[in-house]
Structures are given as C-alpha cells and as structure tokens.
C-alpha cells in the first residue's frame, strides 16, 4: 500500500529529529523521495553483493562488506549527484579488477550487481550531467567495460555501451526540445493574452471616443444655436452659450487628439499639437470665464525649454486641479504657480477649503491618483492634500527633460 502524504511527512519529521540527519546536506538528501528510492535499491543490492562476492572473487572476509559497498552503494547518488556516484563506481571497478583475483571460473573482473550499478549510474549521468562532457563519460565507461568484460564479449559490450549513451543523449535532446516548445507555447499564450487585452482596450477607447465625440458635438451645436431656437436670449446669455461652445469644442479636440486615432483602423486622424506649459494660461483664462478667481504665476525659464512630455504632464495636472477645485470648492480662490528652471518644473495649485452641503469627503474619483501616475511616468512626484491652514495644496516636481523614448505622450 502506498504511503500517504501525511504519513510521509510524519516519517520525514521524525527522521529529521535524529542526530544522524542533523547536517543540512543530509536533510536535503533524505527530503526527496527519489533519493530514498535509490538508497533502498542500493541497500538491497549491497545485501546481495556481500554474500555472493566470495563466489566470484578471492576477498578476505574482513574486506567483503567494504568491496560490496564500493560496488553497490554509489547507486544511492544516482539522482542527487550522479557524477560522484559514477566516478566512485568506475574507480572501484578498476581497483577490484586489479587487486582481487577471480575464482570458480568467473570471467568478469566485477560482479553482476556492479555491472548493473555502473550502467544505471551511466544512464543517470548522461541524462542529468553536463552535456558537453557526455563524450568523455562515454569514453571512460567504455574503457571500464572493455577492461572488465571477458575477451569474447568485448566488442558486443562496446557497441552496447555506445548505443546506451547515444540513446540517452537523443532522449535528452528530445526532452530539451519539448521543454523549449512548451516555453515557446507559454510565451505565445502570454502574447495572445496581452493582444486580447490591448484589443479590448482599443475597443473601449473607440466606444468612448464615439460616445464623447457625439455628446460633445451635440453640446456645441446646442450652445451655438440657442439664440435662434430660444426666444428672449439676452446678449449676456448668448455670450455664456458661446463660451460653453468654445470649451466644448476644446474638450472635443482633446478627446479626438487622444482617442481619435483608434476610431477606425487605417483612418487618418488629424492631431493637434500636444498642449504644454505655454497653454496653461489658456485653461486658466477659460476657468476665469466661468466666474472663478484664478491667479496664475509663471516663474523662471521659457516654456519652450520644457520637454514635450513634461509640459503635457504639467498642463494635465493644472487642468485636473482646476476642475477639482471648481467642483469641490465652488467660489474659492485658486492660486496656480508654475516655476521652471534648468533641472525641474514645479507646479503648485492651492485653493481654499469650502464646506459644501451634502458633499462627501471623497467622491471616489481617480483625479489625484491619475495626476500622481502622470508625474511618475515622466520621473517626477506629486503630493496632494490639506496644508493645515485651511487650504488644499497640490505640488508636483517634474524633471525639465525626459528622454522621449521613456514616456508615452498623450
């Protein structure tokens, strides 16, 4: 009856508690069932070799267990260290043939169990040892068998040993090819999964573009034609509608810029230049047009010196901050500062905290995490939160220049 996993674990736990296996190497050896299997087989063959050794060789009784151990116990290392076991077996076969005479007409220089052990170790060495040394292992094994076989059987055993090594080598090549094929298949599956994910993202982006573009187009048309469709629209109201139309068109242009290329495969999409630090003043002015008090300060170098990806990131951070401030702190003053020097672009947006009835502390949106991800993507950092004096502060530190290859623009 096969031993169960629980029983095996209990046996191994008791074995590990004995002083015999306190050494880590021994613990590792007995921790594998295959090593235990080869050990049991080696002990069985040792039990056979010891009493039968006097039938084939003239050995002093006191040396019988030693010679039998040299012939059989190297099999214990067939899996753990086949090279060491093979080396001991080869060496012992030569020494036994040199120092002990054969008796009762035995024509081999070694016992039958020694032949079996040497063949098994040769197979394991060919399957698990370094491939570049297989020819050397074959030659040494061939020499050992040629020296051990009877004169009339030398050629046959030489051919047999050679075929054994060739078969093992071909089997190893086959197994390696199957492993490589399995690895390639796994890589193809991973690539297919990534392709499927990208395809799904592309589909979602296309749907998003279609929905947003359609709705924003309707907003633009409705705002521009309000004075013709609605009676009694005053010039001030018409100006507000036109401002709404302008902001809607700008938002529509940005959506088309980022997602329009995914709308139809092969469709040529006209893209406007990416907004940068120089365009921050435009979104500030648009926010002021909605009745929000915004103070903008541009300090330091020229916006043209900033890397395009960094400039776009700074623009998006300010844009998100203005949207968040107008939504969560309506009517509060907003201070925007963009400082540029040779090494960094520092963006700071501060607005007063305003209690809004019915509004929760967190809207569950992704504005701040999204800004932080954008900053990290260009090698910068962003910190956002209350400053302790009644205001909410967003501070971003961005490098002035980032290799374009390292950043996905847009």
């Amino acid at each position: 009856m096969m031993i169960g996993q629980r029983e095996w674990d209990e046996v191994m736990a008791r074995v590990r508690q004995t002083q015999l296996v306190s050494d880590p190497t021994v613990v590792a050896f007995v921790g594998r069932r295959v090593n235990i299997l080869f050990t049991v087989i080696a002990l069985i063959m040792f039990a056979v070799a010891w009493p039968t050794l006097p039938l084939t060789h003239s050995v002093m009784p006191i040396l019988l267990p030693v010679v039998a151990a040299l012939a059989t116990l190297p099999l214990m290392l067939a899996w753990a260290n086949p090279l060491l076991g093979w080396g001991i077996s080869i060496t012992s076969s030569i020494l036994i043939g040199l120092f002990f005479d054969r008796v009762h007409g035995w024509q081999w220089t070694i016992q039958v169990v020694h032949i079996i052990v040497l063949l098994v170790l040769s197979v394991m060495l060919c399957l698990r040892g370094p491939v570049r040394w297989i020819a050397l292992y074959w030659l040494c094994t061939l020499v050992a068998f040629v020296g051990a076989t009877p004169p009339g059987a030398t050629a046959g055993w030489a051919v047999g040993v050679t075929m054994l090594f060739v078969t093992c080598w071909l089997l190893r090549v086959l197994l390696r090819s199957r492993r490589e094929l399995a690895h390639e298949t796994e890589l193809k599956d991973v690539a297919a999964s990534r392709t499927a994910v990208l395809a799904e993202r592309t589909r979602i982006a296309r749907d998003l573009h279609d929905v947003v573009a359609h709705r924003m187009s309707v907003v633009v048309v409705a705002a521009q034609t309000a004075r013709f469709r609605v009676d009694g629209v005053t010039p001030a109201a018409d100006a507000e509608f036109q401002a709404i139309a302008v902001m809607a068109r700008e938002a529509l242009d940005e959506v088309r810029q980022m997602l329009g290329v995914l709308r139809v495969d092969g469709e040529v999409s006209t893209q406007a230049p990416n907004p940068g630090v120089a365009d921050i003043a435009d979104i500030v002015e648009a926010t002021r047009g909605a009745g929000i008090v915004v103070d903008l300060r541009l300090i330091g170098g020229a916006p043209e010196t900033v890397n395009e990806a960094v400039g776009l990131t700074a623009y998006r951070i300010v844009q998100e901050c203005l949207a968040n401030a107008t939504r969560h702190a309506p009517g509060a003053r907003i201070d925007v500062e963009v400082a540029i020097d040779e090494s960094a672009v520092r963006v700071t947006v501060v607005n007063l905290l305003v209690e809004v009835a019915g509004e929760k502390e967190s809207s569950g949106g992704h504005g701040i995490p999204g800004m932080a991800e954008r900053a990290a993507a260009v090698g910068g950092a962003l910190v956002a939160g209350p400053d302790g004096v009644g205001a909410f502060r967003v501070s971003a530190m961005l490098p002035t220049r980032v290799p374009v290859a390292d950043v996905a623009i847009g």
Side-chain angles (χ1 to χ4, degrees):
M1 185 176 72
M2 296 183 62
I3 185 173
Q5 183 64 39
R6 179 179 299 177
E7 290 79 4
W8 173 262
D9 294 339
E10 292 178 356
V11 171
M12 295 309 303
R14 293 179 181 178
V15 171
R16 292 189 182 98
Q17 291 175 358
T18 63
Q19 295 182 354
L20 178 64
V21 292
S22 59
D23 185 84
T25 303
V26 179
V27 172
F29 179 85
V30 299
R32 301 188 63 123
R33 294 189 180 186
V34 65
N35 293 331
I36 301 299
L37 175 62
F38 278 113
T39 300
V40 172
I41 296 175
L43 293 176
I44 294 174
M45 299 188 76
F46 173 75
V48 174
W50 186 351
T52 59
L53 183 57
L55 302 178
T56 59
H57 292 78
S58 176
V59 182
M60 296 175 58
I62 194 174
L63 295 179
L64 286 177
V66 177
V67 176
L70 290 174
T72 59
L73 295 188
L75 186 62
M76 298 169 57
L77 302 174
W79 183 268
N81 194 339
L83 178 58
L84 178 59
W86 173 85
I88 295 174
S89 185
I90 287 284
T91 304
S92 63
S93 68
I94 297 174
L95 295 178
I96 291 172
L98 290 176
F99 291 100
F100 300 101
D101 296 330
R102 291 163 286 180
V103 297
H104 305 298
W106 181 251
Q107 297 182 351
W108 287 76
T109 62
I110 55 178
Q111 293 178 276
V112 174
V113 290
H114 201 158
I115 297 172
I116 297 173
V117 169
L118 186 54
L119 289 175
V120 172
L121 288 171
S122 298
V123 170
M124 296 303 297
L125 180 61
C126 189
L127 293 177
R128 292 175 56 80
V131 178
R132 62 182 180 274
W133 298 112
I134 288 181
L136 178 61
Y137 304 148
W138 162 78
L139 182 60
C140 294
T141 306
L142 183 63
V143 171
F145 270 95
V146 168
T149 55
T154 301
W157 275 94
V159 173
V161 170
T162 302
M163 293 303 299
L164 178 66
F165 270 84
V166 171
T167 302
C168 292
W169 177 75
L170 292 176
L171 179 61
R172 185 164 183 170
V173 171
L174 177 62
L175 294 176
R176 183 177 62 184
S177 300
R178 292 178 66 87
R179 286 195 300 269
E180 292 177 353
L181 179 60
H183 181 64
E184 291 293 333
T185 303
E186 182 180 358
L187 292 179
K188 290 181 180 179
D189 292 341
V190 172
S193 300
R194 291 179 178 176
T195 301
V197 171
L198 292 177
E200 181 64 16
R201 289 179 178 177
T202 300
R203 185 191 66 78
I204 294 173
R206 290 173 179 171
D207 293 343
L208 177 63
H209 173 268
D210 292 341
V211 172
V212 173
H214 171 72
R215 297 299 183 185
M216 294 302 294
S217 298
V218 173
V219 170
V220 172
V221 173
Q224 288 181 328
T225 60
R227 56 183 173 179
F228 304 109
R229 296 181 293 101
V230 180
D231 296 333
V233 175
T234 64
D238 182 60
E240 289 293 333
F241 280 124
Q242 296 307 315
I244 293 173
V246 170
M247 288 187 290
R249 278 198 301 268
E250 291 177 353
L252 184 58
D253 289 340
E254 291 183 5
V255 170
R256 285 173 175 167
Q257 173 190 330
M258 293 185 292
L259 303 176
V261 292
L262 301 176
R263 193 166 189 265
V264 178
D265 292 337
E267 179 182 356
V268 178
S269 177
T270 303
Q271 295 193 24
N274 285 318
V277 176
D279 299 296
I280 292 178
D282 295 335
I283 58 173
V284 169
E285 189 62 33
T287 305
R288 288 170 178 166
I292 306 298
V293 179
V294 183
D295 179 50
L296 172 63
R297 286 177 293 172
L298 297 176
I299 305 173
E304 293 78 12
T305 62
V306 179
N307 176 272
E308 182 181 2
V310 176
L312 175 60
T313 300
Y315 178 89
R316 295 299 184 202
I317 290 174
V318 173
Q319 184 182 46
E320 182 68 22
C321 289
L322 293 176
N324 290 342
T326 55
R327 181 169 63 252
H328 298 295
R333 175 189 174 90
I334 305 173
D335 294 319
V336 179
E337 180 181 291
V338 179
I340 304 173
D341 57 32
E342 296 181 356
S343 61
V345 177
R346 298 172 179 83
V347 178
T348 304
V349 181
V350 181
N351 64 271
L352 297 177
L353 294 175
V354 176
E355 292 293 337
V356 180
E359 183 171 353
K360 299 179 180 179
E361 294 183 1
S362 174
S363 63
H366 301 281
I368 293 177
M371 290 189 292
E373 290 175 1
R374 281 186 175 274
V378 295
L382 182 141
V383 178
D387 61 0
V389 292
F392 192 89
R393 177 184 297 269
V394 177
S395 300
M397 176 75 71
L398 310 174
T400 304
R401 297 205 168 273
V402 176
V404 177
D406 294 342
V407 182
I409 299 176

